[in-house]
């Protein structure tokens, strides 16, 4: 792993540190946090999309490794607020499934994506994911703790994708690793088609 890659990952960790600190809520908030954390982990569509965001960020490299996931998390939080507030939003499930198809496809074909374009694209899809998290918040859960839970889970899945992309992209196995990453993207995109069609 290059020094610039290490620096990017450390920068991302620093940016996310305040939110990660919320991963240790008070006892009376644990119920909300646990539900929030479990929500992204409980759906294949959410998991695949979050990991693809991380893989895409790692493919682009450099500052994208913190800007792309940070964009997703920030806009997802706004979408979550809209969901909690009960603001209507159409095509949420379709938007989530399409995020898996599109992000997986970009990773699979290793499309040259400028950082700003990647940020805008993941931000667009983040609205749907965030809205779904917020709209499905249990009535008994505290909003702040619940939000901290789904944000933390999302960041962990992003980190998993980034770490996997960096490990597979090491100099010793770069060509082979790139093929594995592209294969993962293709598999995710196909799964997204299945989710969109109601097969999965």
């Amino acid at each position: 792993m290059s020094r610039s890659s290490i620096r990017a990952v450390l920068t991302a960790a620093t940016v996310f540190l305040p939110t990660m600190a919320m991963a240790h809520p008070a006892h009376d908030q644990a119920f909300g946090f646990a539900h929030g954390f479990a929500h992204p982990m409980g759906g294949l569509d959410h998991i695949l999309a979050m990991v693809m965001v991380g893989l895409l960020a790692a493919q682009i490299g450099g500052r994208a490794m913190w800007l792309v996931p940070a964009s997703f998390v920030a806009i997802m939080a706004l979408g979550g607020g809209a969901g909690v507030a009960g603001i209507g939003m159409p095509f949420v499930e379709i938007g989530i499934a399409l995020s898996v198809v599109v992000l997986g496809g970009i990773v699979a074909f290793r499309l040259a994506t400028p950082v700003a374009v990647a940020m805008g694209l993941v931000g667009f899809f983040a609205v749907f994911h965030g809205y779904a998290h917020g709209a499905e918040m249990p009535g008994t859960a505290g909003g702040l703790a619940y939000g901290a839970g789904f944000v933390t889970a999302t960041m962990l899945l992003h980190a998993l994708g980034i770490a996997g992309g960096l490990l597979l992209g090491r100099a010793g196995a770069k060509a082979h690793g790139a093929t594995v990453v592209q294969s993962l993207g293709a598999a995710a995109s196909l799964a997204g088609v299945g989710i969109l069609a109601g097969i999965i």
Side-chain angles (χ1 to χ4, degrees), residues 71-141:
S71 296
F72 190 99
V73 170
I75 298 177
M76 179 190 68
L78 294 176
V84 170
I87 298 171
M89 180 178 292
F91 311 117
V92 173
E93 294 303 320
I94 292 175
I96 290 172
L98 281 175
S99 72
V100 181
V101 175
V102 173
L103 295 173
I106 293 172
V107 170
F109 291 104
R110 202 172 178 83
L111 299 178
T113 311
V115 177
V117 172
M119 290 170 65
L121 185 64
V122 302
F124 171 75
F125 287 126
V127 174
F128 298 105
H129 286 269
Y131 185 89
H133 297 327
E136 295 174 24
M137 181 181 78
T140 53

Side-chain angles (χ1 to χ4, degrees), residues 3-16 66:
R3 289 186 182 211
S4 62
S5 297
I6 293 171
R7 191 178 307 116
V9 172
L10 290 175
T11 301
T14 302
V15 169
F16 291 146
W66 67 271

Side-chain angles (χ1 to χ4, degrees), residues 160-184:
L160 177 64
I162 291 171
L166 291 176
L167 287 173
L168 290 168
R170 286 182 306 181
K174 195 165 186 181
H176 177 68
T179 302
V180 173
V181 169
Q182 289 178 271
S183 298
L184 291 172

